[in-house]
Amino acid sequence: MVQIRFGIDLGGTKIEIIGLLVKQNDKQVTSETIYQKRIATPKGDYAATLNAITDLVTNAEAALSKEYQSFLPGLVGVGIPGAISLKTGKVKNANSVWLIGEDLQGDLQAKLNRPVKLANDANCFALSEATDGAGQNINQATNIVFGVIIGTGCGGGVVVNGQILNGINAIGGEWGHNPLPWMTQDDIAMDCYCGLQGCNETFLSGSGFENHYFQRTGLVKTAQQIVALSEQGDKEAEQLMQDYITWLAKGLASVINVIDPDVIVLGGGMSNIDRLYRDIPKIWQKWVFSDVVDTKLLPPKFGDSSGVRGAAWL
């Protein structure tokens, strides 16, 4: 079987489309990227967002029509910065607030004249890495992949045997708004935009990392700059880096205690810190309720394109 699958990553600042040529037989599935494009997101304008996505798909199919006509129209999946309410079918929990309360799936299906699948962007990331990425076939029996987003925000998704674990409330894997576990008296529980304090997101996201540096030093630095300072021997930056490793180890240990994944794949800007993959597995057993931790901690195979690839796999 040969298909063309379009994945769309609907972000707060950019919309990306990818076209995959997928070949599947009884033994394996292979994919090849045959189209890719990014445009700016029309912030605050729902109608313009619908038109932008429609134009991306239409233009992609026009560009591919000569060589791949027999496989068009393609299947379409969209990763969104939120979730679809199982009660209303409309968007909820989106940091792109102009999407909230809208029937994005129904409206896109009407404009594109075909079924459209939607999923949370962290779920798309996890699905991509589980399907043909870093988490592929780690365990042939029950392959459980936890995909982590530690970028501007903090989110996650769970894929079991190739299927997204969405959950009855459509929040499966959303560990970002659980409290950081095993906090010490030195850990500062900052306010979270969700209305609570001390959420994982306030410690583990890139913005949380930056906020903790500002709280300690009074200096405004990007996460990348702070990491660079730690590598140069800056005392405050290095102490925060060590604390961050401990915080992330605790946060991931709590996930291991609940779903016992075969592999955890990190995504988002903070996932580019190489020492996380070396240092965290050395200490996370302190908080894992087991005599051994065989869970693997891996970087993403497809980097920042993993989410849009996952949307194509929906």
Side-chain angles (χ1 to χ4, degrees), residues 35 43 59 73 85 102 168 239 243 246:
Y35 186 87
K43 291 184 178 182
N59 292 339
S85 168
E102 299 289 356
I168 196 169
Q239 183 58 60
D243 290 342
T246 299

Side-chain angles (χ1 to χ4, degrees), residues 100-283:
I100 294 176
E102 299 289 356
D103 183 12
L104 181 60
Q105 184 174 28
D107 291 340
L108 285 176
Q109 288 181 155
K111 292 182 75 69
L112 290 170
N113 194 30
R114 75 192 78 176
V116 175
K117 294 185 178 181
L118 269 63
N120 173 263
D121 49 10
N123 285 343
C124 290
F125 170 79
L127 182 61
S128 171
E129 293 298 330
T131 301
D132 60 349
Q136 181 183 19
N137 296 330
I138 297 294
N139 183 339
Q140 294 286 352
T142 56
N143 200 39
I144 302 174
V145 177
F146 182 57
V148 172
I149 302 296
I150 39 176
T152 304
C154 178
V158 183
V159 173
V160 181
N161 290 334
Q163 299 296 315
I164 293 172
L165 186 64
N166 198 41
I168 196 169
N169 300 300
I171 55 171
E174 282 294 355
W175 72 313
H177 297 283
N178 287 340
L180 181 77
W182 304 290
M183 288 180 62
T184 71
Q185 62 183 3
D186 295 324
D187 296 329
I188 305 300
M190 295 185 176
D191 292 338
C192 183
Y193 77 88
C194 74
L196 300 176
Q197 286 186 325
C199 293
N200 280 326
E201 179 157 320
T202 67
F203 287 94
L204 304 180
S205 66
S207 55
F209 186 66
E210 294 165 359
N211 290 339
H212 279 274
Y213 185 78
F214 176 77
Q215 190 273 335
R216 294 182 183 190
T217 67
L219 300 174
V220 176
K221 300 286 185 182
T222 67
Q224 188 177 20
Q225 288 171 331
I226 299 166
V227 172
L229 285 171
S230 72
E231 293 171 347
Q232 295 163 15
D234 180 88
K235 183 178 179 180
E236 290 288 351
E238 175 56 22
Q239 183 58 60
L240 178 58
M241 192 70 249
Q242 292 179 20
D243 290 342
Y244 182 84
I245 288 169
T246 299
W247 295 336
L248 185 52
K250 288 178 176 180
L252 296 179
S254 70
V255 172
I256 295 172
N257 284 340
V258 175
I259 65 173
D260 202 12
D262 300 286
V263 59
I264 296 172
V265 185
L266 304 183
M270 299 298 286
S271 72
N272 295 319
I273 303 173
D274 291 338
R275 65 190 288 189
L276 300 182
Y277 306 97
R278 180 184 70 246
D279 293 351
I280 289 175
K282 293 179 181 177
I283 63 172

